[in-house]
Amino acid sequence: MIQAPKGTYDLLPADQGARQLLESHAQRILAAAGYSRIETPAFESTELFARGVGAATDIVQKEMYSFDDGGGRSLTLRPEGTAPVCRAYIEHGMHKLPAPVKLWYLSAFFRAENPQRGRHRQFWQVGAEVIGAAGPEADAELIVLLAELLEAMGVSGTRLRLASLGQPETRGAYRAELTEYLHAHSESLSAEVRARIELNPMRAFDASDPGTRAVMAAAPKLIDRLAEEDAGHFAAVRELLDAAGLRYEIDPTLVRGLDYYTRTLFEFTSDALGAQSGVGGGGRYDRLIEQLGGQPTPGIGWAAGVERILLAAPARPRAAEVVDLLVAVADRDAHGARAAAFEVAREARRAGLAAQLELTGRSLKSALKHADRLGARYVAIVNDAEQSVLRDMTGGEQRELAAGAVVAAILRGSRL
RNA sequence: GUGGGCGUAGCUCAGCUGGUAGAGCUCCUGGUUGUGGUCCAGGCGGUCGCCGGUUCGAAUCCGGUCGCUCACCCCA
């Protein structure tokens, strides 16, 4: 049997309701704030991600689906949405639009990771980006909008963590300082932390062993090394969040695996999720547009995992689809019956009814049973070109009438 | 990529001290001359994830592989 590829899954009819709910909430919340929807290609030049996301990141180094397009170009299935949106911004000269440009998307992304709950190889993200606004209001607004989306979806046990990365130069200097500090105290660190000093010194803040924790308690924090303007920006963002009544915690250990972040960084987690606790997050990327070949333009955005939102949100029973009318034929061989039934269904739909034609050729008894399962309000039993019976499934009353009069009878509404 | 758990009909599962597969639900048909929801009867449906090994014989034991899942890692 051919199965869906590892880490992918089918979105079956039963799954559509929850996703449509998410989509409509996103549409409502973001459109109200002036965000327009955008959809970029599912694949892009590999170079876009190498330059945008960062060549040293895990995503680029080992998680991209890259392939040759046959013409010597290297393409990659998009692993994230920010770089493509920025590419589109530059390519379409959106800097000429009234600033800032506010965009949102709900799209599939691809990462060659080992799948587990809430982590797939093809996954969906809803995301929002603000390009061309440097002020802290943009940061705070985006965070609030994501909080509202999560709340609207009923995502439980959420926590917001906040940090500021400052500028890349600051971060580089800080990283060197931290690495040096860790080396100086390496004898007190756990073996794993020690082994990862060069690879990812920030991880040491998350360690649980007492030795490492003691060392880290006195370790230098990036937040204390921020340049004045960056620290001021961060303080302003926090003031706005405080004023909005949004609860958050400052987490100097917050790290994201994308190189393009500057200044504000945030992440929402949910305790309903297990190890993949992040439901959504993002940050500011003031250097990205320029790095991709555009004019220096500030930007900020977030992305949230659709699967994770749905996992952390309460399951909602699927709403039954409405069926106003099922059209069946009493005797398939009766002269003109099938054509008449076909026409009744068409006419009903043109009149705005949800009308299904019995398509399998099952017996009348089975057709009625089928109508019952569908929850059909009426069944039209067509005898021939002229004669038919309209049955109200609620009570079982029925009456004979011309096939051409069926729709009008239903629209009249009423009792038969 | 690494490690643990799991993999039997569409779904939920039983069967596993080895002897060539079962239940419930779903679906389909019928229950006396066209009419549903209850009930009754019958039927469709599985190369027991796949490949190989042990054995006279394997869904049941062993190995490999694929997939799911949990964790590491990383991220949404």
Side-chain angles (χ1 to χ4, degrees):
Chain A
M1 183 178 63
I2 299 174
Q3 305 175 276
K6 176 173 180 168
T8 68
Y9 61 97
D10 298 306
L11 275 169
L12 301 173
D15 307 320
Q16 299 297 334
R19 300 182 76 94
Q20 278 169 13
L21 183 69
L22 173 57
E23 185 169 351
S24 64
H25 277 311
Q27 164 71 38
R28 175 178 55 77
I29 291 169
L30 293 166
Y35 291 70
S36 307
R37 190 158 180 177
I38 185 170
E39 183 66 55
T40 61
F43 52 84
E44 297 270 0
S45 288
T46 300
E47 190 192 356
L48 173 64
F49 302 112
R51 266 168 55 186
V53 176
T57 59
D58 271 22
I59 291 177
V60 170
Q61 284 200 332
K62 48 188 194 189
E63 295 175 0
M64 296 207 304
Y65 286 104
S66 298
F67 56 96
D68 188 291
D69 74 345
R73 286 171 285 257
S74 176
L75 301 179
T76 293
L77 261 30
R78 35 137 107 124
E80 60 98 47
T82 299
V85 166
C86 289
R87 190 225 82 227
Y89 174 90
I90 297 165
E91 184 169 338
H92 299 286
M94 292 192 213
H95 62 280
K96 285 174 297 199
L97 298 173
V101 173
K102 296 183 279 192
L103 302 165
W104 76 278
Y105 56 82
L106 175 54
S107 313
F109 298 92
F110 308 86
R111 256 124 91 160
E113 294 187 279
N114 218 347
Q116 60 188 67
R117 183 178 171 81
R119 188 166 86 181
H120 304 270
R121 291 186 167 184
Q122 176 178 343
F123 58 101
W124 295 73
Q125 287 188 342
V126 53
E129 315 282 353
V130 175
I131 301 174
E137 296 86 350
D139 307 45
E141 176 181 281
L142 270 170
I143 293 171
V144 166
L145 288 172
L146 178 51
E148 278 177 23
L149 178 59
L150 297 178
E151 191 190 343
M153 287 301 294
V155 172
S156 61
T158 55
R159 263 183 353 139
L160 167 60
R161 294 187 299 147
L162 209 61
S164 177
L165 291 179
Q167 301 304 318
E169 302 76 40
T170 311
R171 213 187 324 170
Y174 167 73
R175 189 187 162 108
E177 182 187 358
L178 178 61
T179 304
E180 193 180 327
Y181 175 84
L182 290 174
H183 278 305
H185 297 80
S186 65
E187 72 285 347
S188 309
L189 301 173
S190 73
E192 306 122 78
V193 170
R194 203 180 310 137
R196 295 179 59 82
I197 290 179
E198 297 297 336
L199 201 60
N200 190 351
M202 293 294 282
R203 286 309 291 192
F205 282 105
D206 295 335
S208 54
D209 69 284
T212 305
R213 292 186 72 86
V215 172
M216 297 323 288
K221 307 269 193 302
L222 175 55
I223 253 176
D224 303 321
R225 298 292 182 271
L226 257 32
E228 206 178 318
E229 310 85 71
D230 294 333
H233 181 94
F234 192 44
V237 172
R238 279 153 48 190
E239 269 174 42
L240 289 165
L241 292 178
D242 289 336
L246 208 62
R247 298 179 48 131
Y248 60 86
E249 46 205 276
I250 305 297
D251 185 349
T253 73
L254 187 58
V255 221
R256 318 221 98 223
L258 298 93
D259 279 357
Y260 51 61
Y261 286 120
T262 55
R263 292 192 159 175
T264 313
L265 195 64
F266 58 94
E267 180 173 75
F268 283 87
T269 56
S270 165
D271 56 23
L273 245 33
Q276 309 304 316
S277 62
V279 281
R284 185 164 272 288
Y285 46 86
D286 290 342
R287 307 281 187 92
L288 181 57
I289 304 271
E290 183 177 8
Q291 210 164 314
L292 293 176
Q295 294 299 310
T297 309
I300 179 167
W302 51 252
V306 168
E307 292 82 359
R308 293 185 187 177
I309 290 177
L310 265 22
L311 278 172
R316 293 175 181 78
R318 180 150 78 119
E321 282 158 40
V322 173
V323 179
D324 298 314
L325 172 68
L326 179 77
V327 184
V329 172
D331 176 4
R332 286 167 60 78
D333 298 325
H335 182 69
R338 289 157 78 170
F342 197 89
E343 188 50 33
V344 169
R346 251 169 43 103
E347 199 186 317
R349 290 173 197 141
R350 279 194 300 250
L353 297 172
Q356 296 192 29
L357 184 62
E358 190 355 80
L359 296 169
T360 66
R362 44 160 68 91
S363 67
L364 185 57
K365 170 178 174 150
S366 295
L368 268 295
K369 188 178 282 189
H370 184 61
D372 188 55
R373 292 210 183 97
L374 291 176
R377 175 68 205 279
Y378 294 99
V379 173
I381 301 161
V382 177
N383 291 312
D384 54 41
E386 279 82 42
Q387 283 265 322
S388 68
V389 171
L390 181 58
R391 181 178 178 83
D392 184 335
M393 297 296 279
T394 329
E397 321 83 68
Q398 59 184 48
R399 87 162 189 234
E400 289 188 24
L401 70 182
V406 166
V407 172
I410 292 174
L411 291 177
R412 233 177 287 119
S414 54
R415 289 163 292 165
L416 296 168

